[in-house]
Amino acid sequence: MNMKNEAGNADLPAPVRQDSELVQVLDAEGNVLPQASVPDLSDRQLLELYETIKLARHFDQRAISFQRQGRLATYAPMTGQEGSQVATSFALAEQDWLFPTYREHAAKYAHGMELASLFEPLRGYREGYAIPEGVNVMPEYIPIATQVPQAMGMAWGHKLQGKTDTAVLCHLGDGATSEGDFHEGLNFAGVFDVPAVFVCNNNQWAISVPRERQTASETIATKAQAYGIDSVRVDGLDPLAVYKVTSEALEKARNPAPGALRPTLIESVQYRFGAHTTADDPSVYRDESEEEAWRDRDPVDRIEKYLYNEGILNPDLESEIQDRIEQEVSEAIETAEQTETSPDNIVEHVYEDVPARLEEQRDELNRLREKYDDGAFSEVLE
């Protein structure tokens, strides 16, 4: 892997960069790399970025624990990818639109979603997927790559309507680049020069398919050449580098320089530290030593070390932030668990008319609830 920092191709006009370059701002110890430029963020903004990334890590740990207790449905962990998620959303303006996949929990939260709303759908509350008025986040996409042409379509619509201050940011995984929707979406983005940024979260694994079996291309970013759009590769475990390239790409999408192209494909090179979902066992298809090699660049540790190095963070402030995070996540869990939903809803919206076999199963469940009380089911989970 080419680990050359952004100064390696300084003769190129920003934000267009060669596909083989990997943009970095921080080394593994949180030190600013020679000649790398730190994004123009205040101390307060840096601390907010750090706290949100740290909150995402804590949220992820609690969500996995709750799923194992039977208190959540299948969950897609994001540990290792939360730094890139939060950094991309921090780069968005309020009017910009976010198209997430099923893993972008932190990206959605950082762009305006309530933390409790991330838990609620996983507890069977159908309305939990509803997006509040004024929050420009699309419902999460579970089918692979279907969001790509739709994001392109929204961006094209904004361009046709003359909304020059609005951009669209679309997340996708490395596995999505093998889908036709990816190619169609990026091809149209290039043809119609739409204000969109496509962030490929290359976490090295599409469930159990490794990156090298996904494509013979040298990089995912190089695929952009076929569509006539710009691309950039960034160290996805370096939140400051991700924020930097995403901010530049979004600004270019809204206000391109003469002759510049609006759309950009960002390859955020990351590693999925955990399982694909809580229904997956990664030990079956990958070696633990592979994860250990990536752990040295953990995004939470990396930005934390940087803030300590710069004198922005200290032990007392770190403790205060951790307490605040734990309280916020606990309150979100409490809110989600108090949201009432009926087990009867399990069989709704599946068939036009509920089949007899599902009616029988629902009736059996309701007989058990009546006999033992719902509290008995809760005690099993304690």
Side-chain angles (χ1 to χ4, degrees), residues 59 63 66 70-75 105 108 113-132 140 329 331-342 345:
F59 173 94
F66 271 41
R71 297 161 79 174
L72 289 182
T74 302
Y75 172 78
H105 319 295
K108 293 191 292 184
M113 293 291 291
E114 294 291 333
L115 205 57
S117 71
L118 305 183
F119 284 116
E120 288 171 343
L122 298 174
R123 289 184 50 78
Y125 183 58
R126 178 172 172 268
E127 288 76 7
Y129 278 114
I131 306 299
E140 65 186 51
V329 174
E331 289 175 354
I333 291 171
E334 183 178 353
T335 298
E337 292 196 312
Q338 289 176 350
T339 301
E340 294 187 5
T341 185
S342 171
N345 294 340

Side-chain angles (χ1 to χ4, degrees), residues 7 25 60 64 76 81 107 109 126 162-163 170 234 237 240 247 258 300 313 328 332 334 344 366 382:
V25 172
D60 205 48
I64 293 170
Q81 300 183 230
Y109 170 73
R126 178 172 172 268
K163 295 181 179 179
C170 176
V234 63
L237 301 179
L240 295 186
S247 297
V300 177
L313 185 65
E328 183 174 351
E334 183 178 353
D344 289 342
N366 285 331
E382 295 298 330

Side-chain angles (χ1 to χ4, degrees), residues 148-214:
V148 179
Q150 294 184 24
M152 183 286 305
M154 176 181 282
W156 187 18
H158 288 160
K159 183 181 179 182
L160 292 174
Q161 294 170 28
K163 295 181 179 179
T164 58
D165 65 337
T166 303
V168 173
L169 188 143
C170 176
H171 283 277
L172 59 137
D174 46 301
T177 63
S178 293
E179 296 287 340
D181 283 344
F182 168 80
H183 301 281
E184 292 157 7
L186 266 69
N187 186 53
F188 269 77
V191 170
F192 296 107
D193 193 32
V194 305
V197 176
F198 303 93
V199 180
C200 178
N201 299 297
N202 177 10
N203 65 16
Q204 312 306 312
W205 291 91
I207 308 183
S208 59
V209 178
R211 156 67 179 81
E212 60 269 18
R213 295 292 298 277
Q214 196 66 241

Side-chain angles (χ1 to χ4, degrees), residues 86-137:
V86 172
T88 53
S89 283
F90 264 58
L92 290 169
E94 185 177 359
Q95 72 272 12
D96 292 334
W97 278 87
L98 172 68
F99 280 66
T101 75
Y102 49 82
R103 200 183 306 278
E104 270 74 55
H105 319 295
K108 293 191 292 184
Y109 170 73
H111 198 48
M113 293 291 291
E114 294 291 333
L115 205 57
S117 71
L118 305 183
F119 284 116
E120 288 171 343
L122 298 174
R123 289 184 50 78
Y125 183 58
R126 178 172 172 268
E127 288 76 7
Y129 278 114
I131 306 299
E133 189 71 27
V135 177
N136 290 356
V137 177

Side-chain angles (χ1 to χ4, degrees), residues 237-248:
L237 301 179
D238 180 349
L240 295 186
V242 174
Y243 176 84
K244 178 179 174 63
V245 301
T246 307
S247 297
E248 291 172 349

Side-chain angles (χ1 to χ4, degrees), residues 283-342:
S283 67
V284 174
Y285 53 82
R286 70 183 191 190
D287 193 273
E288 288 185 7
S289 61
E290 179 183 320
E291 177 182 331
E292 292 171 2
W294 288 83
R295 281 282 183 183
D296 290 340
R297 295 190 287 123
D298 185 298
V300 177
D301 296 341
R302 207 161 170 186
I303 190 169
E304 187 171 276
K305 290 174 181 177
Y306 167 74
L307 294 176
Y308 267 104
N309 293 343
E310 297 296 312
I312 299 172
L313 185 65
N314 58 61
D316 289 342
L317 181 55
E318 181 187 352
S319 179
E320 177 185 325
I321 289 172
Q322 184 62 36
D323 289 344
R324 192 159 56 235
I325 286 170
E326 292 179 7
Q327 180 178 350
E328 183 174 351
V329 174
S330 294
E331 289 175 354
I333 291 171
E334 183 178 353
T335 298
E337 292 196 312
Q338 289 176 350
T339 301
E340 294 187 5
T341 185
S342 171

